[in-house]
Amino acid sequence: MIRSTHRRTRTRVVASSTGIVLTALLTGCGGSGGTVAAGASNGATDTAGKASAACGQVPTIAPKDPDGAVKALPADLQKAYNAYGEEVLASAWQHKKALGRAAKVGFSYLPASNAYAAAVVKQMETSFAAAKADGLVKGKLVKRIMTDPATMTPAEQIRGYNELVDSGVDIIYITPLSGDAMVSAVDAAGKKGVVTVALSSTIRSKYAVNVAENAYLNIAQPTALVAKQLQGKGNVVIVRGFQGLSTETIGYQAAKDVLAACPDMKVLGEVNGAFVPPVAKAELLKFLSSHPQRIDMVAQLGLMGSGVYAAFDSTGRDIPKVVDAGASASSLASWKKLETADGYETAGAGGNGTQEAKAWFTVGMMVMAGDGPKVGTITREPSVITKANLADYLPVGAKVSDLGEVEDGEGWMPQSYLDQFFDNPSQS
């Protein structure tokens, strides 16, 4: 039986979407779990002296903007780059002329090992077919998709990427296993006139146009909101993801920064869930067996909400407020069940592969049309899942056992939003 630890809490809250795209792809990788000592940094980016906010608020940290590309954007768009964890470069394609013919398109992707990845692949094929009907692209979508999540490496992906370049494609859509490892290959391709458009993981090359969520805000916003619900008091457990990924490191630092502003919130420990719900459940069960204290919040860094709910439910312990970053149909079903039973309220964040792939493909076509990207990384402020709009994200009839994605909720990066990042959007 699912029970909430906050039956009398009725505070209204707001939350963010996470769209942790790369880590969603890696949920098929498994990975070892484990308990990490409270306070261990594991290489997280140091924001000491930069991140300052009151308890329950999101810190304000200037983005890394060496070319002044972010500063040149409208003020409303600049908000989305608060604390962005990677350098934001100007784009080499800002003054690129329209291709003037149908483009040959390459697609480099990770294994389609879960619902999110399958949705991305399906939508890319759908978008390509529509663009072909409009005369924007030609031939077939040339794919280089790695097949085994357990053995894939950046070197394998780079080989496939270079094969796409050699095949004569004009543009390559990619979700890189390692953005840093891709830089040299993307630079070389860019000098040949090949456009690279990356989803989720940032490639620090002026020849890459990155379409990505803000990994810091995606964790900071819901964590801050849950802290505010708890009035800045209580015991916390952090569930980390697949460590070594930049998005995980940035999200972990965001959680630490937010919790550091709440002196009456105590981190009891950290668990390594590897962004895999069953791993998160197993490691949390180990942790709970040796920690009988009341737990008020679980700050999980994405995609593992269903595993967290399952762990507490199987022990019969009261369920704390789960920071549901990267919400799934399963985690939202648990949230709704608790809400119906006793008014449970927390903060979560959603997004799905179909929405993100649509925006990704559109950005690439805009570059090829000569629309002129003003900045090399296009990001957004997180979406919001609240009690008020939970139904917009919860699939109809969803059960706790469901493995699917959340519904659209709100537009992820609609055309009207993307237009603001280009000099000549009317050309697309």
Side-chain angles (χ1 to χ4, degrees), residues 67 69 89-95 206-209 373-376:
D67 300 328
L89 306 176
S91 177
W93 309 115
Q94 185 169 7
H95 304 296
K206 65 181 180 179
Y207 296 105
V209 180
K374 298 176 182 179
V375 63

Side-chain angles (χ1 to χ4, degrees), residues 397-421:
K399 298 180 176 59
V400 171
S401 59
D402 287 350
L403 301 177
E405 295 190 285
V406 299
E407 294 295 328
D408 287 357
E410 66 175 357
W412 192 70
M413 288 188 185
Q415 187 69 59
S416 59
Y417 182 76
L418 293 175
D419 284 349
Q420 299 177 78
F421 293 90

Side-chain angles (χ1 to χ4, degrees), residues 60-406:
T60 298
I61 305 171
K64 301 169 185 175
D65 186 25
D67 300 328
V70 175
K71 189 175 181 180
L73 292 173
D76 284 348
L77 295 184
Q78 290 182 40
K79 296 176 184 177
Y81 293 87
N82 177 29
Y84 194 82
E86 307 275 3
E87 281 189 337
V88 180
L89 306 176
S91 177
W93 309 115
Q94 185 169 7
H95 304 296
K96 173 182 171 60
K97 295 181 180 179
L99 185 61
R101 57 173 173 79
K104 185 175 180 180
V105 181
F107 181 34
S108 173
Y109 203 57
L110 284 69
S113 56
N114 54 61
Y116 171 85
V120 168
V121 173
K122 181 179 179 180
Q123 183 57 48
M124 286 295 290
E125 292 171 342
T126 299
S127 294
F128 180 86
K132 188 173 182 179
D134 291 337
L136 301 177
V137 302
K138 63 182 180 181
K140 295 182 178 180
L141 182 61
V142 187
K143 302 176 185 176
R144 292 294 184 275
I145 298 179
M146 292 181 286
T147 59
D148 189 347
T151 61
M152 62 185 179
T153 64
E156 177 190 357
Q157 187 173 45
I158 291 169
R159 282 193 297 273
Y161 175 91
N162 287 334
E163 288 175 3
L164 291 172
V165 174
D166 293 341
S167 73
V169 299
D170 301 296
I171 181 172
I172 298 174
Y173 290 92
I174 185 170
T175 288
L177 184 58
S178 169
D180 287 344
M182 290 298 309
V183 171
S184 294
V186 171
D187 283 347
K191 291 172 183 177
K192 296 178 181 179
V194 179
V195 174
T196 298
V197 187
L199 179 66
S200 182
S201 182
T202 300
I203 301 173
R204 289 181 288 181
S205 167
K206 65 181 180 179
Y207 296 105
V209 180
N210 304 295
V211 181
E213 287 277 16
N214 185 322
Y216 188 97
L217 293 184
N218 286 339
I219 301 301
Q221 286 199 7
T223 303
L225 291 163
V226 173
K228 188 173 182 179
Q229 287 181 357
L230 292 169
Q231 300 181 330
K233 300 177 181 179
N235 292 327
V236 183
V237 175
I238 298 175
V239 180
R240 297 197 61 175
F242 196 91
Q243 294 178 42
L245 293 175
S246 62
T247 52
E248 199 279 345
T249 301
I250 293 165
Y252 174 61
Q253 187 63 52
K256 289 208 308 177
D257 288 346
V258 169
L259 294 172
C262 303
D264 293 326
M265 301 199 78
K266 179 181 179 182
V267 177
L268 298 179
E270 300 172 5
V271 168
N272 181 4
F275 289 121
V276 183
V279 174
K281 176 183 176 181
E283 297 304 325
L284 258 178
L285 286 173
K286 294 176 187 176
F287 182 89
L288 294 175
S289 68
S290 59
H291 290 77
Q293 303 99 316
R294 173 191 175 93
I295 295 174
D296 301 281
M297 175 203 292
V298 175
Q300 62 89 23
L301 302 189
L303 309 169
M304 301 171 288
S306 60
V308 174
Y309 281 118
F312 279 89
D313 192 38
S314 67
T315 64
R317 290 177 60 164
D318 286 342
I319 295 181
K321 291 181 179 291
V322 178
V323 178
D324 199 14
S328 65
S330 172
S331 63
L332 292 189
S334 292
W335 178 349
K336 181 63 177 179
K337 185 175 182 179
L338 289 163
E339 177 193 84
T340 301
D342 58 23
Y344 177 88
E345 193 169 13
T346 186
N352 61 49
T354 300
Q355 287 181 302
E356 297 180 21
K358 284 180 181 178
W360 187 27
F361 192 88
T362 297
V363 167
M365 290 297 98
M366 294 178 76
V367 175
M368 300 310 291
D371 287 8
K374 298 176 182 179
V375 63
T377 296
I378 297 173
T379 192
R380 67 193 292 273
E381 289 192 83
S383 296
V384 176
I385 299 179
T386 66
K387 182 178 181 179
N389 66 1
L390 178 60
D392 295 336
Y393 292 86
L394 178 66
V396 175
K399 298 180 176 59
V400 171
S401 59
D402 287 350
L403 301 177
E405 295 190 285
V406 299

